[in-house]
Each structure stands twice: as C-alpha cells, then as structure tokens.
Amino acid sequence: MAAYVYDELDPNRRQIRICTIHSGSFEDPIQCSLHTTSLDDNPEYETLSYAWGAPVFDHTVLVDGAVLKITRSLHDALRYLRPRKQRQSAVDEPPWDRDATGVLWADAICINQADLDERSSQVCLMGDIYRHGARLHVWIGTVGEIREGLRQEHIDEQTDTFDLVTPEQFSDFKTFLLSHEHTRSRPAALSSAALSDDIDADFIGAMEILKIFTEDQHVQHLPFFNSLSADTDLELHKPWYMGLAMLVGILTQPWWKRVWAVQEVLLSTSTSTQATLLHVSHYKILLASCINVRVNFYRHLLGCCFEWYPIVVGSNALLHRLNEASGFLTTLTRLSRCYEDGNFDMTVAYHALGSREATIPHDYVYGLRALMANSPSSSLKVDYQRSVSSLYVEATRAIFRAHNSLEYIHVAIGVDADNRNHLPSWCIDWSQQRKYNDLPYGEGLFSAAPGYFHPFHACEMSDTLLIEALAQGAITSSNSPDQATAGDPVHAVVEGMTYIGQHQVIQDTDIILRVLMRDWHIGTDFRVERLSPRYMEVLREWRDFTRHNNRQLNKAPIKSSLRDIDSRMRRPQRLFMTSRGLLGVGPTTLKQGDCLFVAKGSESPLLLRPIHGSAIEGGQQENFPKYQFVGRCYVHGIMDGEAVTADTEWQTICLS
C-alpha cells in the first residue's frame, strides 16, 4: 500500500489540516481522513496532547487509504479516542467514551514532519490552533504501562494486597465517579457493582485518593496513616499503598515532562480548566482534580500542618515521589497567572522548562513561544533550519534585554560543562536542566554594583557578550574539590582556610558560617532574608551540634531548622580567597587564577576565567580582554556595593 503524500499548505491563509478518525472496534486498523481548512473559518475540532516517546515509527494508520507511520504512543491514543462501533460485548472490548467526536488536531498527523518549512510555519500557528480547539485531550498512557514503570522502580514490591474499594463500598464510589465535578470515569466502566476485568482496583484507588485530596482535610485527618506524630516515622496504611503508587505513576508519566505540555494546556484552558481531560487507558480524569492535589494538600502541609512536613515528605518514599511529581502542577498554576496577566516572557519561559524534555532541541525555545504574545521575545523567528547555538544565543540575549541586567547569567552553561550545542560560556543551554546555584537572584537581597544596569553594545558579535566590570583580584587559593562536597564543611574551613589567605587570616568562624550560607535564609513568611543575629545563633547551634553528635541529626521536627542548615552546607560549593584577601564561596568548577569582578547589571560578583593571549578589537580600535564565565559567587565584604565608588573606572571586557 502506498505511503501517504501531503498536499501543501498555504501559510498566508493560515491553513491547517484536521484529522477525522473513522469509527471502528478496538482492534480494528485505525483509519482516518485529513482535510485542509483555514483557522479564519473557525473550524470545529478537538486537540490531542501526548508524549511522542522514542522516535520509532513502527505503527501505522491509514490516511485516506494510504499508509502513514506513527509512534506507538500516538497509535495507542487514537485507539482509545476514536469513535466506536456498536459494542457486541461488555467483556471482549474496553469501555468507550461516547462523548468523543473523532475530529482531532494531532501534530504528528496534521503536520508534515519531513517538511521543515511547513513545520516552522505551523509552529507559528500553534497558539491559535490550541486556543480554537473545543477541548484538549491528554494521552497519559495505559494502566499497563504505568504498572510496568512502577515495577521497574520496585514501587510495587508491597506484597500485602487488600481490596482498596470493596464491592460493598463500590456502589457509593461509583456514584461519586459519575457525579463529582473533579474526577470522572467512563459510564460503561462502572456497569458492575463488583470489581470486574474492566475495572483496575489500583486505578480506582488512585481516584479515591484524588477525591480525598479535594476535600480540604488537615494532614493528620487523612485516612492513609497508621501513625503521624512528631517522634515517629510515617507508616502508610497498606490498603492505600498501591492506590497511592498508581497516582504517583500517573503523575510521573512522560507527558508531564514535555516542553510543549505547558503551552498546550495553558492555551487550551484559557476559558475553562474543566475542558482538559487526561486519558489513562479507557479512564479519564479532569486536569482540575490533579491541580487540587497540589493546591489543597500542600496548602495544609506548608501552612497549618507545617510541623508534619519533614515527616510526610521526608520519611515516606511514595509521598516524597508525589511531592516531586506534582511539581508540574505548581508550575502550571504559577504560569497560568503569568499568562493571564500578560507577563509571560523569556524569563518565565526559562523557569517553565525545569527538567522538561523535547525531541528537537529547537523546541526548548519554540515550545513556549505562543505564550509570549505580549513580550518582545515573541519576535523570535521560528526556523528549524537555523543552528541550535544561534537560537539559544538570541533567546539568552532576549532575557538580558528584558531585564536590562545580567541576573540570569547564573544559569549560563559556563566552563567545564557538557557543551553539546557548542555555546559561548555566557549563554543558557535551554536543552539542559538549569545548573544549581544557591544565590538568590532578582530579590534585591544583594547589590554589588548598586544603581548600575547592563549596557548593550552595538559592536557585539554573535557569540560574544561585552560587559562593564570592576576587577577585584584573582583566586589565589581554595579548598579542594573533595572538601567541597564531603565531610564537615565548617571543619574544613576552620582547619584549612586559616592559612590559605595571602593577605589576612580568617579565624572568625561567624564570618565563615555567613559565607557558607551566602548570608541568606528563608524567613518565617517564606521570604528570602539576610542572616539576622538570631539566625546566627541557630548557625552556631548547628556548628556545635554537628561536632558533638557525630553529625547524626535526629528526625524530630524540633531539629528541622538544623537539618535544613545541614542540607545547605552539604550542597556543592568551594571556598576561595583572592589576591586582595577576600573570602568567598562559588561553584565547584572554579580554579586558581580565575578572576573576580563586580559587573554592571549583576547583583552578585562574577568569577571569570581569562583567555590568555586573546582580545577582540572594539569599534573604536580598543582591545577588550577576553574571558569565559565560571559562575556567580558570594564574597564577604563586597555584596553591598563596597567595591564601587564615585570615582570607579569601569573596564569593558568580552565574554565568549
């Protein structure tokens, strides 16, 4: 049978293709037809969001009688979403959603993926495609896939099995699923009062837990726990174990990590979050129910029930996984507010990425472009034939220009990194999870160069960034990389840093503690604050406690503040001293000879590595020294503008 050949689309007429899926039994080959229309004609259709999975096109659909190869993930989604023929038996076929229209827009079918020009033009229309769709269907995966994932992670090793929902209780639960506004299952799936082959007990358990989270209960009143007190570990009631495991499995499926998922959901739910349905096999869940897990549960856990937070999140593996998995829901809620307020720009887009994934590296930028309609960043031209490096450089410059500062340079790729996209050191690699940095940014907490903004130079070349900075000496000594992440950091400092300074000896452990904590902590109202005298007393308690208790922190909530300090102290960091006798802490990649600068537009000092014997020629025949970006740092004594005076002469330097 011949392969399907796409007709060309006219981008000037805002044309798209819409897929009509023909009805069929569950095991029948999938057949559909494509027709071309213009978005200006307001066509009626629904949209599909799914994770592509591995780029293996080993499944087929028949499009207007011709063969089109697709991935397994899309094939599974279409099998469950297409309109069904009259069912002959309630046993031989899975239940079906009678509300499905079968008229969908799905990218891998409706866009000619082999035509890069068409792909670029269709991505420019992506915002309107999802805005105009009547409803968004999200394919999460099958129950079998989720259970296999749990098995591979050894989450299913709980051998004690109990009926989470007994036949006697199932009747009431069935009523809940049919009528509740937050969680629903397909009517055909609830035709029996007992747990039948069509009903997965663990999935129903996950839905019951979802229901409980919507009821806005205090943590200690949740029915999951055998015990929940300040001096015991958390024990999860066995009947709830696999239901909670299934819920974790649902929230950790690949779709939640897609770059495109944020844009697709926000554009589709701009009118009502109730329109978005998550599909797991033949079950469906409203996205709003998952959001309630994060909103209700963590509103209690971080508020009135905060005393149980270290136990609930820290000592139970499944609840810890639930906390991690629901991070997307927090991101979605925050980004929704930014989008509704018209404040979605490249900076917000970068934070939306987190550890999300895309098949094509360009999509780490293009995948959120439609949300930035009111931002200058939306002028980024969609072009899949341009190099990844030039796109990432342009996107990074857009962040710097949007804020007129260098604050986001702290997530630049830097030196000694996995530079797979051949980027300059000052550029953000949008395809990699952001680098760890324990210095607040954009909070106004520090002001190493008060009143100065980053100037943009017209003579900048594509891979360079010119900044104006003030030299503060070079690193003359530092603790070893091994000491940076292991052992007692205070001991390493007290024993080692007392002799490495060339100009002074640091013997005041309060200064060392302040440097190690970078002079900030989270206050009682969850705001970032500088270290107060009262908090310094807590730091001294931590220092004494860790020395005299062999670093065995107990789990009682009374010691949670000490545990938080211990966690921050153990994060990757290296202490250093400069040729001017300044004590600081920076990234583990720093080296002796790296130079310290205070730069215009940066709240914190920068560590830069000189490229010896090289310079670039400026527009006025000036030679600018050339450096690579190492990282931001905290340096005691220059965080509040002490290095800058009215007579300061700034130096123009080049970052490459």
Side-chain angles (χ1 to χ4, degrees), residues 116 119-120 123 259-260 263 346 353 357-369 372 380-392 394-395 421 429-432:
L116 294 182
R119 190 195 300 172
S120 298
V123 167
V259 167
W260 288 97
Q263 175 173 289
M346 286 303 296
L353 290 176
E357 300 171 353
T359 305
I360 303 170
H362 298 71
D363 287 342
Y364 287 98
V365 174
Y366 296 153
L368 296 165
R369 178 182 177 276
M372 297 182 281
L380 282 170
K381 182 181 178 181
V382 179
D383 180 4
Y384 281 94
Q385 300 192 59
R386 74 182 298 184
S387 68
V388 175
S389 60
S390 68
L391 174 62
Y392 286 8
E394 184 179 353
N421 292 312
D429 189 339
W430 297 75
S431 68
Q432 296 191 49

Side-chain angles (χ1 to χ4, degrees), residues 135-312:
R135 179 169 56 175
L136 174 65
H137 295 276
V138 175
W139 175 248
I140 298 296
T142 65
V143 172
E145 289 172 341
I146 294 173
R147 181 168 285 108
E148 178 60 27
L150 296 174
R151 185 176 297 113
Q152 291 179 1
E153 295 186 36
H154 308 289
I155 294 179
D156 67 335
E157 291 182 351
Q158 176 79 27
T159 57
D160 302 275
T161 57
F162 296 78
D163 287 332
L164 181 60
V165 182
T166 65
E168 292 77 17
Q169 298 168 327
F170 188 69
S171 178
D172 291 339
F173 192 47
K174 176 177 66 175
T175 302
F176 159 75
L177 287 173
L178 287 171
S179 62
H180 202 276
E181 289 299 320
H182 295 293
T183 53
R184 298 184 298 177
S185 187
R186 301 183 176 191
L190 302 169
S191 58
S192 172
L195 300 179
S196 66
D197 291 339
D198 284 341
I199 302 298
D200 186 279
D202 297 335
F203 185 87
I204 297 299
M207 295 301 95
E208 175 67 5
I209 292 172
L210 215 53
K211 168 198 169 188
I212 291 171
F213 280 133
T214 68
E215 294 176 345
D216 201 16
Q217 298 188 50
H218 289 296
V219 172
Q220 65 267 34
H221 296 156
L222 295 176
F224 309 152
F225 311 127
N226 281 329
S227 60
L228 186 61
S229 61
D231 56 355
T232 61
D233 285 340
L234 182 66
E235 184 177 352
L236 193 66
H237 262 309
K238 292 178 181 178
W240 296 99
Y241 182 89
M242 287 309 298
L244 185 59
M246 179 60 69
L247 181 58
V248 169
I250 292 170
L251 295 177
T252 54
Q253 284 297 100
W255 179 82
W256 300 95
K257 292 186 177 182
R258 289 183 66 239
V259 167
W260 288 97
V262 175
Q263 175 173 289
E264 292 163 357
V265 169
L266 291 186
L267 294 176
S268 301
T269 60
S270 57
T271 55
S272 172
T273 56
Q274 300 297 328
T276 300
L277 290 175
L278 310 181
H279 293 263
V280 179
S281 291
H282 49 271
Y283 304 105
K284 59 185 179 183
I285 316 165
L286 284 170
L287 178 63
S289 64
C290 296
I291 292 177
N292 279 333
V293 172
R294 188 75 185 188
V295 172
N296 287 338
F297 183 44
Y298 288 95
R299 181 170 59 83
H300 281 276
L301 204 54
L302 297 176
C304 54
C305 304
F306 183 72
E307 60 183 307
W308 285 286
Y309 180 86
I311 296 177
V312 171

Side-chain angles (χ1 to χ4, degrees), residues 5 26 32 86 166 174 191 238 246 276 289 294 315 470 484 488-489 519 612 614 630 640 653 656:
V5 178
F26 187 75
C32 60
Q86 184 66 33
T166 65
K174 176 177 66 175
S191 58
K238 292 178 181 178
M246 179 60 69
T276 300
S289 64
R294 188 75 185 188
S315 67
L470 181 63
D488 184 346
D519 200 11
H612 297 290
S614 64
V630 177
D640 298 303
I653 60 178
S656 63

Side-chain angles (χ1 to χ4, degrees), residues 281-531:
S281 291
H282 49 271
Y283 304 105
K284 59 185 179 183
I285 316 165
L286 284 170
L287 178 63
S289 64
C290 296
I291 292 177
N292 279 333
V293 172
R294 188 75 185 188
V295 172
N296 287 338
F297 183 44
Y298 288 95
R299 181 170 59 83
H300 281 276
L301 204 54
L302 297 176
C304 54
C305 304
F306 183 72
E307 60 183 307
W308 285 286
Y309 180 86
I311 296 177
V312 171
V313 176
S315 67
N316 182 271
L318 270 182
L319 285 173
H320 182 73
R321 286 290 305 279
L322 179 63
N323 177 54
E324 292 181 335
S326 58
F328 174 82
L329 305 173
T330 301
T331 300
L332 192 62
T333 302
R334 178 173 54 83
L335 297 180
S336 178
R337 290 194 294 267
C338 292
Y339 177 60
E340 292 171 359
D341 295 341
N343 296 326
F344 206 107
D345 59 15
M346 286 303 296
T347 305
V348 177
Y350 176 76
H351 286 289
L353 290 176
S355 58
R356 304 201 196 290
E357 300 171 353
T359 305
I360 303 170
H362 298 71
D363 287 342
Y364 287 98
V365 174
Y366 296 153
L368 296 165
R369 178 182 177 276
L371 296 170
M372 297 182 281
N374 299 323
S375 167
S377 307
S378 62
S379 62
L380 282 170
K381 182 181 178 181
V382 179
D383 180 4
Y384 281 94
Q385 300 192 59
R386 74 182 298 184
S387 68
V388 175
S389 60
S390 68
L391 174 62
Y392 286 8
V393 164
E394 184 179 353
T396 302
R397 287 193 194 278
I399 284 189
F400 293 163
R401 289 184 182 275
H403 293 267
N404 203 24
S405 77
L406 295 174
E407 282 313 300
Y408 277 83
I409 200 171
H410 78 279
V411 290
I413 188 169
V415 295
D416 302 326
D418 177 15
N419 197 350
R420 66 190 70 169
N421 292 312
H422 310 291
L423 303 172
S425 64
W426 56 269
C427 183
I428 297 171
D429 189 339
W430 297 75
S431 68
Q432 296 191 49
Q433 187 173 7
R434 61 177 178 264
K435 295 164 56 179
Y436 166 79
N437 190 289
D438 198 31
L439 269 175
Y441 55 92
E443 300 281 351
L445 204 63
F446 305 115
S447 184
Y452 290 94
F453 299 97
H454 171 59
F456 289 92
H457 294 266
C459 63
E460 287 176 335
M461 295 185 294
S462 60
D463 61 345
T464 63
L465 180 71
L466 297 183
I467 67 174
E468 293 186 9
L470 181 63
Q472 296 296 298
I475 293 179
T476 55
S477 53
S478 68
N479 60 341
S480 69
D482 292 338
Q483 289 174 319
T485 57
D488 184 346
V490 170
H491 176 77
V493 175
V494 173
E495 299 298 326
M497 295 300 291
T498 54
Y499 60 85
I500 66 172
Q502 289 185 357
H503 300 284
Q504 71 180 65
V505 176
I506 303 297
Q507 294 179 328
D508 187 342
T509 58
D510 276 6
I511 293 179
I512 298 171
L513 289 170
R514 189 178 294 274
V515 169
L516 285 167
M517 290 293 289
R518 292 165 169 80
D519 200 11
W520 71 270
H521 74 111
I522 302 296
T524 54
D525 58 352
F526 297 101
R527 292 181 179 273
V528 179
E529 300 174 352
R530 298 287 284 267
L531 299 186

